[in-house]
């Protein structure tokens, strides 16, 4: 059974390559005479045949259905304002959300986001996704500033949607006059961050390259898909990187024998993302330029190497509650020469409470995660205010802090992890709906290794929610419980690929009496849950 994705665009032509995969009737508020299915056809071709057109294995889904939701008319025949576009998107998702859970939106409101507020378009997209439990994959928007040697513009309105998965473009090849090197951000692809500095876009994929020839003309190296006449064509834009991510989400949903869960899909995709080894963007600019990177293919995301263990924690955390795992199953096999080693990658995606009336404080809740070591458990006095757990930790240290790591060691590392995955962002108390950490324990300073990585250490994982005073007052007045849905994915890996980390983590989960099971997949692949 194939997953159906909805293409929110200007229509899909009934061409031989696409028509067998078309699902249900076309939906549109416009008559066929007002539809010119150019863009939507190209987008659909990439979603279905993106890998085949390029001769690459980038997404590797097993096939999917497409649903034509023509929410955008031929503007040479009929006008369209923002309110009408939002109404069209809401109408079609309202009608088909039970059959179609993943939607591609490669259309933008061509205004840049600003620091001081979230856009009305983004707020509407968030509301639609909350109401109908769907996932929208949204393009970041294109920019022509490269044609006049100006810096790239900020992402377009709508790409600041908190619930959506937003996508930038990177270059898949380089022509004679193209500006970007292969795997660098496309010259036309807009940059983040979103309002309140949230990381937008979250991911990138291949959407073409561009430059200026000696005569001052724009030239492009496009990605391949189909014209509305059914011929092979080329085009560039974040519009065409986005359907690769939409198809990836659908491919994952098809592999997971689980109920649809947009948080899990987003978390899996972002968790798998990394930066190409040859990307020239400075580390400090990468989240702004390409988000968390380019995700892996469907099988690579699902597959678990024996030298790593991936734990998924999916829950709802109420205000005042904490998740405090004091016997975290850190594998002893990663102890080398008396010290714990290994690489830790953690991705936290959560649904903050949203309030459009609060302007820049649109996100009214936050979730923090801490992971690290401690010396011993201690008894605590629960008669004191704010002390709820009778057992505490002595000598605890959160290892997701950049000041613990040696800059000299980090500079000297040139391996795959250092070039592609290392990520140490100081989120502090910022209300970021996506947070990701990627650390290598061998890069701690010598003193910190002695302090926090000796073989006698215990390990912990801690999550706690924080809420702004505005939403706390409303909850108190209206007598409802504040809470946040979240998905945390944490991978522990042996970079030397010698120790069977997966087996030992599984054994420790049993030893520590954790309830756990393998995530259900349609093929025989195990991910501990």
């Amino acid at each position: 059974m194939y997953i159906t994705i909805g293409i929110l665009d200007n229509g899909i032509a009934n061409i031989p390559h696409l028509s067998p995969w078309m699902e249900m009737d076309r939906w549109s508020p416009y008559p066929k005479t007002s539809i010119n299915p150019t863009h939507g056809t190209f987008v659909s071709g990439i979603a279905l045949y993106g890998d085949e057109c390029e001769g690459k294995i980038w997404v590797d889904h097993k096939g999917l259905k497409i649903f034509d939701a023509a929410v955008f008319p031929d503007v040479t025949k009929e006008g369209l304002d923002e309110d009408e576009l939002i109404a069209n998107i809401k109408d079609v998702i309202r009608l088909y959300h039970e059959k179609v859970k993943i939607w591609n939106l490669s259309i933008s409101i061509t205004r840049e986001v600003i620091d001081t507020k979230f856009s009305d378009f983004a707020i509407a997209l968030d509301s639609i996704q909350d109401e109908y439990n769907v996932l929208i994959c949204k393009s970041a928007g294109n920019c022509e500033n490269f044609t006049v040697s100006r810096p790239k513009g900020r992402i377009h309105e709508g790409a600041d949607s908190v619930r959506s998965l937003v996508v930038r473009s990177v270059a898949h090849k380089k022509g004679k006059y193209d500006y970007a090197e292969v795997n660098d951000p496309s010259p036309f692809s807009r940059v983040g961050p979103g309002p309140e500095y949230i990381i937008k876009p979250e991911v990138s994929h291949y959407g073409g390259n561009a430059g200026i020839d000696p005569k001052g003309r724009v030239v492009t190296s496009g990605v391949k898909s189909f014209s509305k006449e059914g011929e092979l064509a080329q085009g560039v834009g974040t519009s065409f990187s986005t359907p690769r991510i939409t198809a990836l989400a659908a491919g994952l949903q098809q592999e997971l024998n689980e109920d649809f869960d947009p948080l899990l899909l987003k978390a899996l995709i972002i968790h798998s993302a990394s930066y190409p080894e040859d990307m020239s963007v400075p580390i400090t600019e990468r989240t702004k330029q390409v988000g968390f990177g380019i995700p892996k293919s469907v099988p690579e995301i699902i597959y678990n190497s024996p030298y790593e263990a991936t734990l998924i924690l999916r829950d709802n955390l109420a205000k005042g509650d904490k998740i405090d795992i004091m016997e975290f199953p850190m594998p002893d096999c990663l102890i080398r020469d008396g010290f714990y080693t290994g690489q830790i990658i953690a991705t936290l995606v959560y649904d903050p409470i949203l309030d459009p009336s609060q302007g820049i404080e649109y996100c009214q809740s936050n979730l923090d995660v801490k992971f690290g070591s401690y010396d011993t458990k201690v008894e605590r006095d629960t008669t004191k205010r704010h002390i709820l757990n009778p057992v505490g930790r002595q000598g605890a240290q959160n290892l997701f802090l950049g000041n613990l790591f040696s800059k000299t060691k980090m500079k000297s590392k040139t391996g795959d992890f250092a070039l592609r995955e290392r990520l140490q962002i100081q989120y502090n108390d910022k209300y970021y709906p996506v947070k990701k950490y990627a650390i290598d324990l061998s890069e701690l300073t010598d003193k910190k290794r002695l302090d926090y990585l000796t073989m006698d250490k215990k390990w912990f994982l801690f999550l706690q929610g924080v809420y702004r005073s505005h939403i706390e007052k409303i909850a108190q007045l209206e007598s409802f419980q504040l809470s946040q849905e979240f998905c945390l994915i944490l991978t522990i890996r042996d970079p030397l690929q010698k120790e069977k980390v997966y087996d030992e983590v599984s054994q420790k989960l049993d030893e520590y009496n954790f309830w756990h099971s393998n995530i259900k997949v349609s093929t025989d692949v195990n991910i501990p849950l």
Side-chain angles (χ1 to χ4, degrees):
M1 181 178 176
Y2 294 112
I3 298 294
T4 299
I5 61 171
I7 306 295
L8 299 161
D9 217 288
N10 71 349
I12 304 172
N14 189 26
I15 59 175
H17 284 93
L18 302 183
S19 57
W21 301 98
M22 299 282 281
E23 180 76 356
M24 301 173 290
D25 295 328
R26 163 186 170 272
W27 181 93
S28 181
Y30 308 106
K32 288 187 177 181
T33 55
S34 294
I35 297 293
N36 184 18
T38 51
H39 193 264
T41 300
F42 201 97
V43 165
S44 300
I46 289 177
L48 278 168
Y49 299 106
D51 286 3
E52 289 84 352
C53 284
E54 304 297 338
K56 304 286 186 181
I57 302 177
W58 288 337
V59 175
D60 204 11
H61 63 72
K62 294 180 179 177
L64 48 87
K65 295 279 191 175
I66 51 175
F67 172 55
D68 181 5
V71 297
F72 201 89
D74 182 351
V75 292
T76 65
K77 299 178 180 178
E78 196 163 333
L80 179 72
D81 61 24
E82 181 177 343
D83 289 343
E84 185 179 343
L85 175 60
I86 291 170
N88 291 345
I89 293 170
K90 183 169 184 178
D91 283 349
V92 68
I93 291 179
R94 174 178 56 82
L95 290 170
Y96 292 95
H97 69 277
E98 293 185 359
K99 295 181 179 178
V100 183
K101 306 301 283 186
I102 300 168
W103 298 80
N104 187 96
L105 181 60
S106 290
I107 295 172
S108 293
I109 301 294
T110 55
R111 293 189 298 264
E112 292 186 3
V113 301
I114 58 176
D115 289 332
T116 53
K117 69 182 291 287
F118 286 78
S119 69
D120 292 340
F121 192 25
I123 291 169
L125 293 178
D126 290 339
S127 175
I128 291 167
Q129 289 173 92
D130 280 344
E131 184 172 358
Y132 298 111
N133 187 36
V134 298
L135 173 63
I136 294 175
C137 299
K138 173 74 182 75
S139 58
N142 300 327
C143 176
E144 296 180 357
N145 285 1
F146 74 94
T147 65
V148 289
S149 301
R150 291 178 56 198
K152 294 175 181 175
R154 195 94 168 264
I155 56 174
H156 276 149
E157 290 187 6
D160 51 332
S161 162
V162 171
R163 302 288 194 244
S164 300
L165 188 54
V166 182
V167 188
R168 278 189 100 248
S169 172
V170 291
H172 67 306
K173 66 179 181 180
K174 184 178 182 183
K176 184 175 182 180
Y177 301 113
D178 287 334
Y179 284 170
E181 298 296 328
V182 174
N183 286 325
D184 272 350
S186 304
F188 50 78
S189 188
R190 289 181 172 270
V191 300
E196 193 66 344
Y197 304 103
I198 67 169
I199 294 172
K200 287 285 177 179
E202 293 93 345
V203 291
S204 298
H205 223 302
Y206 297 107
N209 206 341
I212 304 293
D213 70 12
K215 294 183 179 180
R217 297 173 299 192
V218 175
V219 293
T220 61
S221 295
V223 292
K224 301 183 188 73
S225 184
F226 304 106
S227 70
K228 68 176 184 177
E229 291 79 25
E231 298 171 344
L232 198 63
Q234 294 192 31
V236 301
T238 60
S239 288
F240 309 138
S241 56
T242 303
R244 301 189 200 280
I245 298 299
T246 307
L248 180 62
L252 285 171
Q253 181 61 34
Q254 190 158 286
E255 287 297 309
L256 298 175
N257 189 17
E258 303 273 354
D259 291 338
F260 175 74
D261 185 347
L263 272 183
L264 176 60
L265 292 179
K266 284 200 291 186
L268 285 169
I269 290 169
I270 295 168
H271 189 71
S272 80
S274 62
Y275 304 109
E277 186 175 334
D278 53 354
M279 178 178 283
S280 65
V281 179
I283 290 176
T284 55
E285 284 285 306
R286 286 185 173 181
T287 54
K288 176 182 173 182
Q289 293 275 346
V290 286
F292 294 105
I294 303 172
K296 294 182 172 66
S297 67
V298 172
E300 290 173 312
I301 291 174
I302 296 295
Y303 173 68
N304 222 105
S305 160
Y307 309 112
E308 66 182 32
T310 297
L311 305 174
I312 301 174
L313 184 58
R314 177 68 175 88
D315 209 342
N316 182 298
L317 190 61
K319 181 180 180 295
D321 290 348
K322 303 171 184 176
I323 292 177
D324 194 353
I325 300 173
M326 301 185 69
E327 295 287 356
F328 185 85
M330 191 68 174
D332 295 335
C333 64
L334 290 180
I335 297 173
R336 294 188 173 114
D337 300 323
F339 295 94
Y340 277 97
T341 63
Q343 294 165 349
I344 314 296
I345 303 172
T347 302
L348 175 64
V349 180
Y350 64 97
D351 279 345
I353 297 170
L354 304 176
D355 189 335
S357 72
Q358 294 304 293
I360 197 62
E361 294 187 349
Y362 176 53
C363 296
Q364 285 283 299
S365 60
N366 184 34
L367 199 60
D368 284 324
V369 58
K370 297 177 182 178
F371 171 83
S373 65
Y374 66 102
D375 295 327
T376 187
K377 296 178 184 177
V378 293
E379 292 185 3
R380 304 173 77 202
D381 185 356
T382 55
T383 64
K384 293 183 178 179
R385 191 181 178 191
H386 300 313
I387 296 181
L388 303 177
N389 193 338
V391 180
R393 296 182 295 271
Q394 187 170 16
Q397 177 59 56
N398 176 22
L399 295 177
F400 288 158
L401 297 175
N403 59 7
L404 303 176
F405 293 81
S406 166
K407 292 182 180 178
T408 301
K409 290 182 180 180
M410 292 168 72
K411 287 180 181 177
S412 67
K413 289 285 185 73
T414 57
D416 190 64
F417 183 85
L419 294 172
R420 303 181 68 239
E421 295 187 287
R422 184 199 289 137
L423 198 67
Q424 294 171 313
I425 302 174
Q426 303 306 298
Y427 298 99
N428 300 321
D429 59 350
K430 293 176 181 176
Y431 283 52
Y432 285 21
V434 176
K435 299 176 182 180
K436 185 174 182 180
Y437 304 86
I439 61 172
D440 190 325
L441 297 181
S442 70
E443 295 178 350
L444 262 69
T445 66
D446 291 340
K447 182 180 185 308
K448 301 302 182 186
R449 286 181 73 223
L450 285 168
D451 289 342
Y452 307 125
L453 298 183
T454 51
M455 61 188 300
D456 58 332
K457 296 293 182 182
K458 300 179 184 295
W459 292 80
F460 73 92
L461 177 67
F462 179 85
L463 290 101
Q464 182 177 20
V466 181
Y467 299 81
R468 297 192 194 270
S469 58
H470 168 78
I471 200 66
E472 287 185 339
K473 289 175 183 176
I474 290 178
Q476 189 173 14
L477 286 170
E478 299 181 7
S479 300
F480 65 85
Q481 175 70 57
L482 294 171
S483 66
Q484 299 176 82
E485 296 280 342
F486 75 91
C487 183
L488 173 69
I489 303 181
L490 190 145
T491 295
I492 306 166
R493 178 193 299 159
D494 178 10
L496 301 182
Q497 296 196 348
K498 292 182 177 179
E499 303 297 337
K500 299 294 181 65
V501 174
Y502 178 91
D503 290 344
E504 186 171 340
V505 169
S506 298
Q507 291 166 8
K508 284 207 166 191
L509 288 169
D510 290 331
E511 179 186 335
Y512 294 159
N513 295 318
F514 280 98
W515 178 88
H516 67 99
S517 64
N518 290 328
I519 199 167
K520 297 174 186 174
V521 296
S522 59
T523 52
D524 188 18
V525 180
N526 293 325
I527 300 178
L529 178 63

